[in-house]
């Protein structure tokens, strides 16, 4: 297992990950946003965390994890990573389960959701390992009709 450093979100760290994101993450983002404009995405992530962020961190310079409030008791979770993520995935998973989830619960959060592109099997598998359950298939969710899977913890 490779241990990963954990840093707060910063513009430069987010930019590095977005510019080097896995192809699957780019496809997923494009399906939600309509395009993959790295600079706009960096600004949206940094600004979103400043206004709605419950949690945000960069792991090992190759993954960023955010949890943004949807309601006072619910967050939307996102992970974007580079191809180097597999080397630190176990370390990140342990941190999520041992630190992030209890910290969010201590803030009164009772539900976390993530919608992922149905063909992003790595994301679905990792979310399941972290304890998320597949709740629903959302046909036509993407801008070009892509199917997404709603996964959640509660």
């Amino acid at each position: 297992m490779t241990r990963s450093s954990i840093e707060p979100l910063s513009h430069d760290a987010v930019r590095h990950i977005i510019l080097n994101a896995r192809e699957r993450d780019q496809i997923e983002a494009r399906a939600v946003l309509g395009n993959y404009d790295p600079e706009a995405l960096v600004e949206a992530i940094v600004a979103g965390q400043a206004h709605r962020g419950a949690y945000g961190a960069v792991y090992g310079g190759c993954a960023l994890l955010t949890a943004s409030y949807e309601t006072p008791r619910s967050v939307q979770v996102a992970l974007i990573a580079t191809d180097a993520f597999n080397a630190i995935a176990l370390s990140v998973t342990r941190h999520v389960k041992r630190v992030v989830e209890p910290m969010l619960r201590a803030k009164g959060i009772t539900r976390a959701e993530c919608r992922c592109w149905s063909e992003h099997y790595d994301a679905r598998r990792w979310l399941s390992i972290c304890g998320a359950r597949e709740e629903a298939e959302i046909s036509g969710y993407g801008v070009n009709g892509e199917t997404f899977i709603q996964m959640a913890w509660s």
Side-chain angles (χ1 to χ4, degrees):
M1 170 186 82
T2 301
R3 300 203 79 203
S4 64
S5 62
I6 303 169
E7 308 165 24
L9 291 179
S10 70
H11 188 275
D12 290 342
V14 171
R15 187 172 190 276
H16 170 76
I17 292 165
I18 296 302
L19 290 176
N20 295 285
R22 299 177 291 192
E23 182 179 359
R24 298 173 303 284
D25 289 350
Q26 292 180 37
I27 291 169
E28 186 173 83
R30 193 175 295 114
V32 173
L33 303 171
N35 66 2
Y36 191 77
D37 178 343
E39 296 301 333
L41 186 53
V42 169
E43 296 304 323
I45 290 168
V46 172
Q49 282 300 291
H51 298 287
R52 301 179 312 130
Y55 179 79
V58 172
Y59 294 87
C62 66
L64 67 91
L65 175 68
T66 61
S68 301
Y69 284 103
E70 290 190 313
T71 73
R73 298 180 60 84
S74 176
V75 292
Q76 184 67 226
V77 178
L79 175 89
I80 301 174
T82 70
D83 287 326
F85 179 68
N86 288 347
I88 65 163
L90 182 57
S91 176
V92 174
T93 302
R94 286 181 175 157
H95 187 259
V96 166
K97 293 177 95 169
R98 294 177 183 168
V99 177
V100 177
E101 182 179 347
M103 181 267 304
L104 292 174
R105 290 198 185 280
K107 290 183 174 191
I109 294 168
T110 59
R111 179 176 175 81
E113 300 176 351
C114 184
R115 292 174 199 98
C116 57
W117 174 44
S118 64
E119 295 181 34
H120 194 335
Y121 300 109
D122 295 348
R124 292 170 63 185
R125 180 175 173 267
W126 186 74
L127 290 164
S128 293
I129 290 168
C130 287
R133 297 175 335 282
E134 290 191 7
E135 287 187 329
E137 181 176 291
I138 310 168
S139 298
Y141 183 82
V143 296
N144 294 308
E146 296 91 345
T147 298
F148 274 66
I149 305 296
Q150 167 91 11
M151 299 187 73
W153 306 255
S154 52

